[in-house]
Amino acid sequence: MNRHHWWRDAVIYQVYVRSFLDSTGDGIGDLAGVRAGLPYLRKLGVDGIWLSPFYPSPQHDHGYDVADYRDVDPVFGDLAEFDRLVGAAHRLGIRVLLDIVPNHCSSEHPWFREALAAAPGSPERARFHFADGRGSDGGEPPNNWHAMFGGPAWTRVTEPDGRPGQWYLHMFTPEQPDWNWREPAVAAEFDRTLRFWLDRGVDGFRIDVAAGLFKHPDLPDSPDPEADARTRDSVNPLAWNQPEVHGVWRHWRAVCEEYTVRDGRERLLVGEVSVPSAREHAKYVRPDELHQAFFFDLLGAPWDADAFRKVVSEAMQDIAGTGSTVTWVLNNHDQVRTVTRYGEPAEGSGLGAARARAAALLMLALPGAAYIYQGEELGLPEVVDLPDDVLTDPIFRRTGSRARIRDGCRVPLPWSGQASPFGFTSGTESAKPWLPQPEYFAEYATHRALADTRSSWHLYRDGLQLRAALHQLGEGSLHWLETQPGVLAFTRGDDLVCAVNFGTAPVPAPVPGTPLLASGPCPPGELPGSTAAWWIDGS
C-alpha cells in the first residue's frame, strides 16, 4: 500500500454523529461521543472517519441545512471539542473527513436573511437563485422543476414592503435555498470555509451533492419536471451535472494540494456524485479534480452475480482508467440498511444477513477504497416500524409518504445492555434517544458483537486485517474467472481468489490452511491457481 496516497485504498467509516454515541445525556450523539468511540473504531481497523454535518443548523434536514459553515452547533459540542477529537483521532492513526454542503444552505444562514431583506436584483440576492414568477401577477413559479423531497422547487417570498415578490430555488426543501455558484462571492466564501477546517487539521472533505452547484443559466422548463421527486435522485439534467461544476473541483483540488505541499500530509476530496453512467462519473475523478467519488451502482445492484459483475467491470474500465481508484459503497445515511435491502421475507430472516456479509467482504476484496456506514459492521437491520409521530425525515413531512424515508437507518447505535438506550446515552435508563431503538437491538449491541467471534463485527474486523496484511488486496486490478451460474469469482494478484456464492451453487469441501472470512462452504481448491481464498457464501 502506498501510504503517501493513503486514500487510494483506504477504508473510511461514516459516523452519523447524532446517532453514534451521546456523552451528555440529552439523547443526541455528539463530538465528545465520537471521541469516546475512537478506540472501538481503531480496534475495528478503519483508516479514517467521515463525520456527518455538526455545524450550527436549525436541523430541518439534520444538519444538511447549514446556518454557519465555520462553527459547531452547541448540541454537538464546540470548536475546542472538535480540536480534541481531531487530535485524538490522529494519535490513533485515524484520519478525519468533514461533510461539506456546498449546493445549499439553511434559510437561517445570514446571507439568505440578507437576501430576503434586500431588493430584487441586489448583490445579496445574486448569491442565490431569485427570479420573478410567471403569469400576469408573478404568481406562478419561474419554471416547472420539482424538489427532490417533494413539492415545487420554488418558494415565493414576501418583499420588505409586504407585497408578494420573487421566488427562490430549493432543490430539496424550502429551508434549504440553493447557492448560485455563478456568483463569485459564493466561491470565495467556500474558499474561506475550506481553509478554516484545513487549518484545524482535517484530512479532507466528503462533498454533498457534488454534481450540483450549477443550474442551467436560463432556468428553462424540464421535459420531466417530477423526475427528481419521483426517483429521489438528482436526475434533472437542467439542475445537476452542469459542465461548469468541474472548475470548482479543480480549484478545490488545488487548495488541497497547497496544504499537502505545505506539510506533506495528503488531503482528500470525495464527492457524492449521482450521474447517469460510470463514464460520466469518471469525469469527476480526473487527475486534477476530485480524488474520489462514491460509486453508487454497486449499492443499487440487485443481488445477482451477473449484475454485480457488470457494475464492477464498468467501474474498473471507466473510473480506474482515469488514474483514480473506485470508491465502493454499500450503504450510507440515506439508504435502507443492507441486511434489510437484501432480505426476502419469504425466504427467512437470515437471508438478508448472509447476503450483507457476503457483499461486505466482496467490497473489501475489490480494488480501490471502501466506505462503511456505522452499524453495518454490527449487522443492524433497518428499523421499519417507527411510529409516524417520531419521524423526522423532511421527505415524510413534505410528502406524507413513508416511501424511502431515511429515519430507519439513522436510529442510534446499541452499545450495551438489554434495553434502550443500550448504552448510547450517558443519561439514566429512562433517557430517550432522539429516535426510539427497538427491543431487538439488544441482539446487535456492540458488547455482544465483540464477544461473539461469529458476529458481523468480527467478519468486518477480520476482513480489514486481511486487507491490510495481504499485498494482493487494496489498490490494483482484478481478473474474472469463469464459474458455474450464481457464483462470482475473480483473482487479485497471482495467488488470491475471491469467490461469492449468490445462489445455491453446490461447493466442495474447504482447503486446509485457507484464510476464511465467513462460515460456510469454501471452494478455493477448485479454483485455478489459488493458494489463498476469500470465499463468501451469500446463499
Side-chain angles (χ1 to χ4, degrees), residues 378-457:
L378 301 175
L380 282 180
E382 183 88 353
V383 181
V384 298
D385 56 354
L386 291 168
D388 286 357
D389 61 356
V390 304
L391 295 178
T392 62
D393 193 327
I395 295 173
F396 179 72
R397 187 175 68 249
R398 296 272 292 167
T399 67
S401 170
R402 297 175 66 99
R404 301 181 66 179
I405 60 173
R406 301 163 296 168
D407 290 298
C409 69
R410 301 176 178 185
V411 173
L413 295 183
W415 289 87
S416 61
Q418 298 298 315
S420 183
F422 297 112
F424 164 72
T425 175
S426 62
T428 65
E429 287 297 315
S430 62
K432 293 184 177 180
W434 69 279
L435 280 175
Q437 301 159 304
E439 292 181 4
Y440 64 76
F441 262 31
E443 304 171 25
Y444 300 93
T446 299
H447 81 287
R448 292 186 62 171
L450 268 65
D452 181 1
T453 57
R454 301 166 299 175
S455 70
S456 290
W457 188 92

Side-chain angles (χ1 to χ4, degrees), residues 498-510:
C498 173
V500 186
N501 184 8
F502 279 78
T504 56
V507 290

Side-chain angles (χ1 to χ4, degrees), residues 89-149:
H90 285 172
R91 285 191 292 274
L92 291 173
I94 296 174
R95 293 174 171 86
V96 179
L97 307 182
L98 302 194
D99 206 324
I100 192 166
V101 189
N103 180 72
H104 50 268
C105 66
S106 167
S107 55
E108 296 186 17
H109 190 285
W111 279 18
F112 190 72
R113 289 180 171 178
E114 291 173 11
L116 293 178
S122 63
E124 291 83 1
R125 289 202 173 179
R127 299 164 178 165
F128 302 92
H129 294 279
F130 278 84
D132 295 332
R134 296 192 287 197
S136 59
D137 62 351
E140 299 295 324
N143 67 27
N144 66 353
W145 297 359
H146 280 239
M148 191 180 300
F149 290 173

